[in-house]
Every structure is written in C-alpha cells, then in structure tokens.
Amino acid sequence: MKQLSSRFTTAVRNAALVGGIAVFSAGQAMAAAIPINIEGIQEQITAGGTSAGTVAGYVALALAVLACAGVVFGMLRKA
C-alpha cells in the first residue's frame, strides 16, 4: 500500500512539473508573438526624468535658502 501511495505521489509531482513547464513555455511564446509598442512609455519616462531633475533643483534651492535663514536668525538671536 505504501508503494502505491509513493508511486501516486511521484506521478502527481512529475505531472505538476511538466504542466508548469508547459504553461511557462506557452506564456513565453505568446509574449513573443504579441507586438508591444513602448514608444509612448519611453517619452513619458524621459519627460519624468526631466521634471524630476527640475524638482530636485528647486528642493536644493529651498534647502539652501532655509540654511541661510537659519544662520541669519542665529546671528540675530545672539546679538
């Protein structure tokens, strides 16, 4: 009885492996067959990078202004 259970378990495991590989292979083949146009996405990424650089510049400027204001207020407080 134990041998039958072991054979059944082995058969189920092997079937699951074969099925998984078949599904993965079919997915890869379908992905290669469907053309995807990513031109618009590339433009959006480029525009996002440009705007992120602009925002980073504004943040750096704001931090510099706050640092200068802190120094000025510190000097006025000591005076």
Side-chain angles (χ1 to χ4, degrees):
M1 186 71 173
K2 197 168 198 172
Q3 254 183 345
L4 180 63
S5 174
S6 176
R7 287 182 188 166
F8 178 73
T9 304
T10 303
V12 169
R13 184 190 68 216
N14 290 342
L17 287 171
V18 169
I21 291 170
V23 167
F24 180 75
S25 299
Q28 293 294 322
M30 290 176 70
I34 300 171
I36 299 173
N37 184 7
I38 61 169
E39 188 173 320
I41 296 172
Q42 289 175 339
E43 291 173 4
Q44 290 178 357
I45 291 172
T46 303
T50 303
S51 65
T54 304
V55 170
Y58 290 145
V59 169
L61 180 62
L63 289 175
V65 168
L66 286 173
C68 290
V71 169
V72 169
F73 284 129
M75 289 168 52
L76 290 173
R77 191 171 149 197
K78 287 183 180 180

